[in-house]
Amino acid sequence: MAGNFWQSSHHQQWILDKQELRRDRQFDLNILSEEEYQKVFNFFASIIQVLGEQLKLRQQVIATATVYFKRFYARNSLKCIDPLLLAPTCVFLASKVEEFGVISNSRLITTCQTVIKNKFSYAYGQQEFPYRTNHILECEFYLLENLDCCLIVYQPYRPLLLFVQDIGQDDQLLTYAWRIVNDSLRTDVSLLYPPYQIAIGALQIACVMLGKDNLKPWFAELNVDMDKIQEIVRAIINLYEMWKSYDEKKEIQGLLSKMPKPKPAPQR
Amino acid sequence: MGDNFQNKTMAAVMMDYDFKIKTQNERSKVEDLFDYEGCKVGRGTYGHVYKARRKDGSDTKDYALKQIEGTGLSMSACREIALLRELKHPNVINLIRVFLSHTDRKVWLLFDYAEHDLWHIIKFHRAAKANKKSVMVPKGMVKSLLYQILDGIHYLHSNWVLHRDLKPANILVMGEGPERGRVKIADMGFARLFNAPLKPLADLDPVVVTFWYRAPELLLGARHYTKAIDIWAIGCIFAELLTSEPIFHCRQEDIKTSNPYHHDQLDRIFNVMGFPLEKDWEDIRKMPEHATLVKDFKRSNYQNCSLSKYMDRHKIKPDSKAFSLLQRLLLMDPNKRITSEQAMQDPYFAEDPLPTQDVFAGCTIPYPKREFLTDDDQEDKSDSKARQNQQQQQPNTQQNQVQQNSHDHGANNAKRMRMTGPNQGNNTGGGQQEFHQQQQMMFGSQQQGGSSQQQGNYQQRF
Ligand SMILES: Nc1ncnc2c1ncn2[C@@H]1O[C@H](COP(=O)(O)OP(=O)(O)OP(=O)(O)O)[C@@H](O)[C@H]1O
Ligand SMILES: [Mg+2]
């Protein structure tokens, strides 16, 4: 569907309004501060990233899974479905849509178990990954419903490649911008801006980092809303600022216990 | 698992009770909204199709409900939903809605109902021909059909979607109603995006394709799916519309399932087209199965064969515009085959009669409506071959007529083979592939211990 972002469900249904997004998160934001909320998402995005890598998925698939995750919680509170279940479910669904081939159920669960045990013990201690295949499959139906069956997600990687080609192949610039796009998955930009704008934002940051002033004219010639690009740049820079003073290993347990959680059926 | 496991497990509740109840109450069930019981009209490899009506009577239109075979979201179901959700074109079947039935884990797709399809239409013509009767159809019908098929495929191709399973049964035609006589390309379960293959398709589910519509390069082991492969299939369908016979009809019995190379099918193609000359298809030497081809075939056996002779035997004049377009669609060399866009510019479509939006051009539709399949047909689901036979033998006057004309009535469900599928083509080049592997973050790695820095492979891959 590469040629057709403007007609896509991504463009028509899933570029959200900032104010609306904040309103939809009101319930969670009564419990967590905005920064805490972002830290929680950052953590689950890491789980998705590491799971994807362990399963040898490509970054494109991982990015799609992360966007599914964010879209679900854009419309629902964190308490609706345990994010620790939704994260692998997003990976599972994205791998099918992005043609990676179906990951076998048992491999998915085993990978979740080892990843939680080996890489995230700082968050979960000795606790094991509590879910099984049937949970993932049930959750997958809820996910698909909440995504309104919009499964094709456009990512900034392709526009980024085209822009860099246009600039005149510069591997260092591409490498930097590519990583910044990966980082941007930890912010809300994928919910708020079209992927080509995110690619431009990432390029701008990369240029600043590399001290490339000579690209100013190139940016100036682009026919884009520079205010939007600045918002994207700010969101990503804010993330970097946050990371400077953030020690996830120390804080995450507190955040996870503070985060709103699903309530079981009332006991009779 | 067991006790030990229970103890160490986080006391996690997966889903909020109120959320669950709320979504349950809001979710509409397919059986609450639609009447479809006893109205099965189609059975394919991947599902059962029912003719349905809304229960609340808010409209009296017919709908098609496809219940996907098996439970849960198979990969092909996922792909069908993902693609159809995005596609919108008058000649591509429109997915109206998806129902997920949580209790039995069935997936249902709701489409507009198409009363006809090219398999039934061609079958009807063949039966009439066998009985020396003629069917009254508008002169331009074949042209209109072809034009709309090309239009739909052009849309798919320009969105980087390949159909890959084009055959008469998958080309639907709308019956009476606001979209009367409009072509709808269906059955996109195998359509794949092909601009950025993330993984060689051979590693995914085995590809299922009907051989009669398979392009020669596929039969010679081509590893990449291309737009040209869809175009070949359209050429085959065009010829079949013109003659009522599948142009590359071939016995299907001894098809080897794991090998793309298929001697009898190639033999059939050469018998119609003649054996390709080096100058007509230079890259044929590069085909994986070229050595086998050289070993198995003698050019001299096909000395007297050509498409023009074949079509002439079927009363299509070699100097007609229809023939000239057909020849451009059925070029053996995939690089020379025309695109859907070029085909739509062909003089054939500028010549009288011009193609019409209603392929029946307002005339009475001579074809019967779809019949309901009875439950008797509903035997052993595990054996799809038996099921297909059954389907072909359902008692129904049309079909009985066709039985006399026995050589080709398997066309609809022409045995589908599992094959090691070729890859997709049009790869954007190594650089990009590599970049898809790029998982490194700019700062994420240094700043947050433990979360995303396990991508040391960056260096090696980049
Ligand atoms: N929208 C529709 N309206 C009416 N009939 C339909 C519709 N879609 C499908 N059918 C009928 O049901 C049959 C099977 O549908 P479809 O081709 O989508 O399923 P499939 O399982 O993928 O089939 P195949 O074996 O060809 O792959 C079709 O050949 C056609 O006869
Ligand atoms: Mg079909």
Side-chain angles (χ1 to χ4, degrees), chain A residues 58 99, chain B residues 192 197-204 421-424 433:
Chain A
R58 286 165 192 267
E99 310 178 19
Chain B
R192 291 173 207 260
L198 294 186
K199 206 173 182 218
L201 289 181
D203 303 352
L204 303 171
N423 269 308
Q424 291 162 311
Q433 288 274 18

Side-chain angles (χ1 to χ4, degrees), chain B residues 43-46 66 163 165 167 169-172 186-188 412-413 416:
Chain B
R43 203 178 297 118
T45 329
Y46 298 92
K66 177 164 169 176
H163 189 288
D165 194 18
K167 55 182 179 179
N170 289 338
I171 310 288
L172 310 180
D187 206 356
M188 307 292 301
N412 186 14
N413 284 305
R416 315 184 94 218

Side-chain angles (χ1 to χ4, degrees), chain A residues 193-206:
Chain A
Y193 308 95
Y196 78 95
Q197 291 182 356
I198 300 172
I200 296 169
L203 268 172
Q204 272 210 347
I205 300 175

Side-chain angles (χ1 to χ4, degrees), chain B residues 41-51 63-66 69 80 93-94 110-117 119-120 165 167-170 172 174 184 186-190 208 210 370 387-388 391 412-413 416:
Chain B
V41 291
R43 203 178 297 118
T45 329
Y46 298 92
H48 302 245
V49 177
Y50 298 84
K51 181 175 182 173
Y63 291 91
L65 265 171
K66 177 164 169 176
E69 188 73 45
E80 185 159 6
I93 193 79
N94 176 35
L110 180 70
F111 297 100
D112 291 321
Y113 186 75
E115 191 65 82
H116 310 282
D117 61 65
W119 185 72
H120 283 98
D165 194 18
K167 55 182 179 179
N170 289 338
L172 310 180
M174 299 296 280
K184 300 279 176 186
D187 206 356
M188 307 292 301
F190 286 94
V208 177
T210 316
R370 291 183 191 279
R387 195 167 82 225
Q388 291 172 354
Q391 189 175 0
N412 186 14
N413 284 305
R416 315 184 94 218

Side-chain angles (χ1 to χ4, degrees), chain B residues 226-397:
Chain B
T226 58
K227 297 178 185 182
I229 285 166
D230 282 344
I231 297 294
W232 177 271
I234 293 175
C236 299
I237 294 170
F238 183 29
E240 196 166 330
L241 285 168
L242 291 168
T243 67
S244 303
E245 308 287 339
I247 180 166
F248 301 123
H249 172 266
C250 170
R251 272 173 57 242
Q252 313 253 339
E253 271 82 89
D254 30 74
I255 290 173
K256 293 281 189 307
T257 54
S258 58
N259 186 350
Y261 180 79
H262 184 235
H263 175 277
D264 290 1
Q265 188 63 61
L266 281 166
D267 176 57
R268 171 66 188 174
I269 291 176
F270 300 149
N271 262 309
V272 173
M273 306 287 296
F275 198 84
L277 298 168
E278 284 271 315
K279 75 166 173 53
D280 292 335
W281 186 0
E282 281 167 23
D283 289 347
I284 193 170
R285 282 173 292 123
K286 299 187 191 151
M287 302 306 300
E289 300 289 344
H290 184 251
T292 331
L293 178 79
V294 171
K295 179 167 66 67
D296 287 0
F297 290 90
K298 278 224 295 278
R299 175 186 309 277
S300 54
N301 290 343
Y302 306 99
Q303 217 78 58
N304 292 315
C305 309
S306 75
L307 184 60
S308 57
K309 284 183 194 157
Y310 172 86
M311 291 307 287
D312 206 26
R313 283 201 296 279
H314 287 89
K315 308 202 169 57
I316 303 295
K317 293 273 158 293
D319 60 356
S320 65
K321 293 226 164 44
F323 177 79
S324 128
L325 174 55
L326 179 67
Q327 201 163 35
R328 299 168 75 206
L329 294 166
L330 288 182
L331 283 171
M332 295 278 247
D333 183 347
N335 291 318
K336 298 192 176 134
R337 228 169 277 154
I338 58 174
T339 65
S340 48
E341 206 170 4
Q342 289 166 329
M344 289 167 74
Q345 303 297 323
D346 192 274
Y348 174 57
F349 296 114
E351 182 185 66
D352 229 34
L354 296 178
T356 48
Q357 290 216 339
D358 168 6
V359 301
F360 307 117
C363 303
T364 317
I365 302 174
Y367 313 109
K369 295 188 168 189
R370 291 183 191 279
E371 303 208 355
F372 295 138
L373 305 178
T374 62
D375 279 340
D376 303 345
D377 304 330
Q378 223 166 353
E379 80 316 327
D380 186 11
K381 284 189 184 145
S382 63
D383 185 348
S384 67
K385 231 189 290 174
R387 195 167 82 225
Q388 291 172 354
N389 288 338
Q390 193 88 20
Q391 189 175 0
Q392 287 151 22
Q393 285 159 14
Q394 59 180 302
N396 142 357
T397 43

Side-chain angles (χ1 to χ4, degrees), chain A residues 220-260:
Chain A
E221 271 177 31
L222 288 173
N223 183 21
V224 285
D225 183 345
M226 275 300 163
D227 291 345
K228 296 271 187 231
I229 306 297
Q230 286 326 304
E231 287 173 28
I232 293 166
V233 168
R234 214 169 310 126
I236 297 172
I237 299 291
N238 284 346
L239 174 77
Y240 292 159
E241 289 297 317
M242 189 268 278
W243 277 347
K244 275 190 195 154
S245 58
Y246 175 44
D247 185 351
E248 188 173 85
K249 288 193 159 137
K250 283 215 188 92
E251 289 180 43
I252 196 64
Q253 284 200 346
L255 289 172
L256 290 179
S257 59
K258 191 176 173 189
M259 155 185 109

